[in-house]
Amino acid sequence: KTQHILVWRNPTAVTMATEVVLKVDMMCEGCVGAVKRVLGKMEGVESFDVSLEEQKVTVRGAVTPEAVLEKVAKTGKKTELWSS
């Protein structure tokens, strides 16, 4: 007698969420809005926080640091990985 077992996996559940923290040179709320716009359209982003006061952008999701850095840099703002 043969048993068949069907295993279904949710592809998003298998992917580990990554947290990427960037230092972004933002001067005003317009800069913050530009960063939020590009992150809102980026595939794999689950959530993000943008702090004008700290010049800090934290992104969570199925993303790579390189991809997030490249995307945010397209806003024209000086962007680098946050060093701890």
Side-chain angles (χ1 to χ4, degrees), residues 23-52:
K23 178 174 174 50
V24 183
D25 212 6
M26 298 175 287
M27 301 297 163
C28 63
E29 286 301 323
C31 299
V32 171
V35 172
K36 287 181 174 181
R37 271 192 300 284
V38 296
L39 292 175
K41 295 177 185 174
M42 187 174 175
E43 194 172 315
V45 172
E46 292 169 12
S47 66
F48 56 84
D49 296 306
V50 181
S51 170
L52 178 60

Side-chain angles (χ1 to χ4, degrees), residues 6-15:
L6 177 62
V7 177
W8 180 82
R9 289 192 177 144
N10 180 342
T12 55
V14 175
T15 308

